[in-house]
Amino acid sequence: MLPSGIFTSALFSLFLLCSLPGTYSVNLVTLGSIEIFNAHEWFPSKPTVYFHCQGEERKTFLPDVEKTHILYTFKGEESWQPLTELPEEKCKRCGVYEHDVFKSDDTFDEWELCPADFLDGKYFRFIENEFNATFLCSNCTASAEQSQNTATRHDKGKVGYIIIICSFVSLILAAGMVAAYRFWQKRKRDQDQARFLKLFDEGDDLEDELGLDPVVL
Ligand SMILES: *[C@@H]1O[C@H](CO)[C@@H](O)[C@H](O)[C@H]1NC(C)=O
Ligand SMILES: *[C@@H]1O[C@H](CO)[C@@H](O)[C@H](O)[C@H]1NC(C)=O
């Protein structure tokens, strides 16, 4: 019972380990902080700032950003986060805009937002007299991006390798487990036998002590 339980759990954990490289990352971009310098408004009214990427339906309004020259920082968990999701190796044309009721929206800046631009998961964008913002994407880090790229490029070969190594290790492990189980069984049997024989010996000793000769006649 016990060895087979260990055997199954070992195989199961190995299976989990082997299936890990199959997961891929999601490049979610959140806003870390923003400070706007120019409200683009003729009247001193509250600006309505939003983030938008071309080809996307959603405009992300930044409800808290109401004053210029104030640094707004975010946790990344706000109701309107994340801003967008980036493809693995492609940029998106995104921008920060100011919503206008009377005329067409003003543009703070519009640029190509690329996964490769994120350094240690951070991307600073400072446009003079417009804004200074920090965008976060923990899965977009340059190193992660690189390893991801190589992973996709060498995907087939690598996966094949991993499968071969994993099955090899599983086989060895399985053989080892079976051998260990056999050994354990044999040892148990030997022990039982030894105990049995010892019982016999003790029986003999008892007879000797009582002075009873073995019945030879
Ligand atoms: C990073 O990728 C993992 C999947 O590998 C995903 O679960 C996680 O939410 C992603 N994190 C961010 C911040 O995009
Ligand atoms: C922009 O914001 C970042 C992070 O808040 C800060 O480190 C940097 O000094 C700011 N740059 C300017 C020019 O304000």
Side-chain angles (χ1 to χ4, degrees):
M1 278 307 271
L2 189 73
S4 69
I6 293 173
F7 179 65
T8 338
S9 54
L11 263 194
F12 184 65
S13 44
L14 197 78
F15 171 76
L16 277 186
L17 206 77
C18 288
S19 55
L20 264 184
T23 57
Y24 69 101
S25 60
V26 183
N27 296 335
L28 294 179
V29 178
T30 56
L31 185 65
S33 72
I34 192 166
E35 177 176 2
I36 54 170
F37 304 121
N38 178 359
H40 294 271
E41 288 282 338
W42 293 349
F43 315 106
S45 66
K46 282 181 188 171
T48 309
V49 182
Y50 69 90
F51 176 92
H52 178 242
C53 292
Q54 269 178 25
E56 272 180 20
E57 196 91 348
R58 192 164 83 112
K59 289 178 178 176
T60 309
F61 286 92
L62 311 177
D64 306 312
V65 182
E66 293 176 339
K67 292 196 173 86
T68 57
H69 299 283
I70 286 185
L71 179 70
Y72 294 91
T73 55
F74 305 101
K75 287 195 194 83
E77 297 163 347
E78 289 79 10
S79 56
W80 44 267
Q81 302 259 36
L83 296 178
T84 187
E85 185 182 330
L86 286 178
E88 242 178 74
E89 289 180 57
K90 241 179 126 70
C91 308
K92 264 190 188 173
R93 188 152 189 89
C94 302
V96 177
Y97 309 89
E98 146 92 72
H99 178 74
D100 258 310
V101 184
F102 302 112
K103 54 190 178 73
S104 63
D105 295 357
D106 292 305
T107 305
F108 284 94
D109 189 27
E110 197 180 277
W111 75 100
E112 292 282 328
L113 186 64
C114 306
D117 288 339
F118 288 84
L119 231 143
D120 288 329
K122 280 186 187 157
Y123 173 56
F124 299 96
R125 188 155 187 95
F126 170 68
I127 304 291
E128 212 172 345
N129 293 326
E130 296 288 355
F131 70 88
N132 178 16
T134 324
F135 297 91
L136 308 174
C137 173
S138 54
N139 286 341
C140 291
T141 43
S143 57
E145 166 72 8
Q146 263 170 16
S147 60
Q148 247 175 40
N149 286 356
T150 45
T152 24
R153 243 177 259 135
H154 304 294
D155 227 10
K156 278 184 187 152
K158 203 172 155 195
V159 166
Y161 247 150
I162 288 166
I163 287 173
I164 288 171
I165 290 172
C166 278
S167 21
F168 194 65
V169 171
S170 312
L171 266 179
I172 290 179
L173 209 72
M177 286 288 182
V178 168
Y181 181 60
R182 289 257 167 85
F183 178 73
W184 176 76
Q185 260 185 334
K186 190 176 175 296
R187 224 181 73 148
K188 197 159 168 280
R189 216 182 303 129
D190 287 351
Q191 271 174 352
D192 286 349
Q193 223 165 27
R195 214 177 300 137
F196 191 62
L197 286 177
K198 209 174 149 212
L199 254 164
F200 259 104
D201 283 351
E202 274 168 9
D204 284 351
D205 290 349
L206 208 68
E207 277 173 18
D208 289 347
E209 269 167 36
L210 287 173
L212 295 171
D213 286 332
V215 198
V216 181
L217 290 176

